[in-house]
């Protein structure tokens, strides 16, 4: 009887929370669909939904097929995938650090991925894909940040400060690499460093979807341990979680997500920083939701990319510049409302 009474008492609290989660998720998905349709159909070449359907089925004329399937669809899908990857990476970092500022772009992993990609493009193989270099650079940055933080006594604040310091150093390294590169390569790399989806191809989309799918499965497999870590290391250990191994695995997964996104688009700020917090506030969850963070990141980036393309048309703004401006305002807002 006591258990039944407890269930009756808790049911009213659970119901509204689930309804809010479902409603917000449905609205977010609808916004993503609308933004994707705008991104595919509008621009200097107007395409109707019928034209898009014909291009998707291979029945469109040559020009429509090239514009829709060769340019716009890969760009929209890449924006959704990169936003989801960065949202997931930010959710992992912020949960492990229990700090809303712990995101890949703040603690240096985005800069490390960019450095690895630039080394690959400029020094090793200019014609090769930057993906491998971005992954290696991101993982090496993880190792360096952890070693520096451990050497001065591990704490969340010191880990973040070590990442910020390393990010500043790597930004200088990136600038130096650009000065040593041939003019054409430097020009392309400089545009890439601003965060751009203009040159996205179907091969990039395949890389993004493959990496995002595999790494999402890994996160799903350790989801229970991930949630246990939110309660603290001592509580997680009492529940049988091997905290050291799980933390290392989660950091590696987040670094690979960041490296994959950076390899395709270059470093894009703000998404990994803000998406987890926006998802937590809109969905009303106690912790940072993984799926909600991925969905929010996807929506924010696809909207930002559409605005970057259309705001000053025919001139296109690199989406990384736009998200950087918004991210700076977001940081000011956090500082203004946080006393400590």
């Amino acid at each position: 009887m006591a258990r039944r009474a407890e269930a009756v008492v808790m049911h009213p609290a659970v119901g509204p929370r689930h309804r809010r989660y479902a409603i917000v998720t449905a609205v977010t998905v609808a916004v993503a669909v609308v933004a994707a349709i705008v991104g595919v159909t509008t621009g200097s070449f107007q395409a109707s939904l019928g034209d898009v359907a014909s291009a998707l089925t291979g029945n469109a004329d040559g020009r429509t097929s090239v514009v829709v399937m060769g340019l716009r669809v890969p760009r929209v899908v890449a924006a959704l995938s990169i936003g989801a990857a960065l949202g997931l990476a930010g959710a992992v970092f912020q949960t492990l650090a229990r700090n809303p500022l712990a995101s890949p772009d703040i603690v240096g992993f985005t800069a490390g991925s960019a450095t690895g990609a630039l080394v690959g493009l400029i020094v090793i193989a200019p014609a090769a894909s930057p993906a491998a270099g971005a992954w290696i650079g991101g993982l090496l940055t993880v190792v360096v940040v952890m070693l520096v933080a451990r050497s001065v006594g591990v704490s969340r604040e010191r880990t973040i400060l070590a990442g910020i310091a390393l990010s500043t150093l790597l930004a200088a390294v990136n600038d130096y690499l650009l000065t040593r590169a041939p003019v054409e390569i430097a020009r392309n790399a400089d545009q890439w460093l601003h965060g751009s989806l203009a040159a996205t191809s179907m091969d990039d989309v395949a890389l993004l979807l493959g990496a995002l799918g595999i790494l999402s499965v890994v996160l799903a497999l350790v989801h229970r341990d991930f949630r246990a870590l939110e309660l603290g290391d001592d509580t997680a250990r009492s529940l049988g979680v091997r905290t050291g191994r799980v933390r290392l695995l989660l950091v590696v997964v987040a670094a690979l997500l960041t490296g994959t996104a950076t390899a395709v688009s270059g470093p894009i700020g703000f998404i990994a920083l803000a998406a987890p917090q926006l998802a937590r506030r809109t969905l009303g969850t106690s912790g940072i939701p993984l799926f909600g963070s991925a969905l929010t990141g996807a929506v924010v980036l696809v909207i930002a990319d559409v605005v970057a393309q259309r705001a000053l048309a025919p001139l296109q703004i690199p989406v990384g510049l736009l998200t950087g401006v918004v991210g700076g305002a977001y940081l000011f807002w956090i500082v203004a409302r946080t006393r400590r």
Side-chain angles (χ1 to χ4, degrees):
M1 293 292 293
R3 290 182 179 179
R4 184 177 301 175
E6 182 180 357
V8 172
V9 170
M10 293 187 65
H11 177 74
V14 174
R17 182 179 299 177
H18 287 174
R19 284 196 296 271
R20 175 177 177 176
Y21 192 99
I23 292 172
V24 172
T25 300
V27 170
T28 307
V29 171
V31 172
V33 171
V34 172
I37 291 174
V38 172
V40 172
T41 58
T42 62
S44 58
F45 177 80
Q46 297 290 330
S48 66
L49 290 177
D51 294 333
V52 174
S54 298
L56 292 173
T57 57
N59 297 321
D61 60 81
R63 184 184 180 189
T64 302
S65 181
V66 168
V67 172
V68 173
M69 297 303 299
L71 299 175
R72 292 181 181 173
V73 169
R75 183 164 184 164
V76 167
V77 176
L80 292 170
S81 302
I82 291 170
L86 293 177
L88 277 176
V92 170
F93 280 123
Q94 291 181 16
T95 299
L96 293 180
R98 299 178 205 168
N99 191 317
L101 294 180
S103 70
D105 38 346
I106 295 296
V107 299
F109 299 147
T110 300
S113 296
T115 302
L118 283 177
V119 170
L121 288 172
I122 296 173
V123 179
I124 300 176
S129 169
W135 286 330
I136 294 172
L139 291 175
L140 288 178
T141 306
V142 170
V143 174
V144 172
V145 170
M146 294 302 179
L147 290 177
V148 171
R150 187 178 296 276
S151 68
V152 296
V154 176
S155 73
R156 298 180 185 88
E157 291 77 12
R158 285 173 174 170
T159 301
I160 293 174
L161 289 175
I164 293 174
L166 184 59
S167 179
T168 304
L169 176 63
L170 290 174
V173 172
N174 294 342
D175 290 338
Y176 172 76
L177 289 173
L178 290 177
T179 64
R180 305 301 298 176
V183 175
E184 189 63 30
I185 295 178
R187 185 184 297 113
N188 294 334
D190 185 59
Q191 181 182 5
W192 178 83
L193 278 175
H194 289 144
S196 176
L197 297 172
T200 306
S201 66
M202 292 303 295
D203 291 338
D204 296 327
V205 170
L207 172 66
L208 285 168
L209 293 179
L212 183 60
I214 293 172
L215 296 173
S216 296
V217 170
V218 175
L219 287 178
L221 292 176
V222 296
H223 185 264
R224 175 185 171 277
D225 296 340
F226 176 75
R227 289 304 171 202
L229 287 174
E230 289 183 330
L231 305 176
D233 288 354
D234 293 337
T235 303
R237 279 191 289 266
S238 69
L239 294 174
V241 178
R242 297 181 178 181
T243 55
R245 293 183 180 180
V246 174
R247 280 182 177 275
L248 178 60
L249 175 62
L250 289 171
V251 170
V252 169
V253 168
L256 290 175
L257 286 167
T258 304
T260 304
T262 304
V264 174
S265 64
I268 295 179
F270 170 68
I271 304 297
L273 175 68
Q277 296 301 315
L278 292 174
R280 183 178 66 84
R281 295 174 187 278
T282 56
L283 293 172
T285 57
S286 56
I288 296 176
L290 289 178
F291 175 74
S293 298
L295 184 58
T296 302
V299 170
V300 170
L301 186 55
V302 74
I303 292 175
D305 190 49
V306 171
V307 172
Q309 293 179 69
R310 310 290 186 257
L312 298 177
L315 177 66
Q316 293 192 15
I317 308 170
V319 67
L321 294 181
L322 180 61
T323 60
V325 171
V326 178
Y330 177 78
L331 281 175
F332 274 119
W333 177 73
I334 287 181
V335 172
R337 69 185 299 272
T338 304
R339 293 182 179 180
R340 188 179 62 179

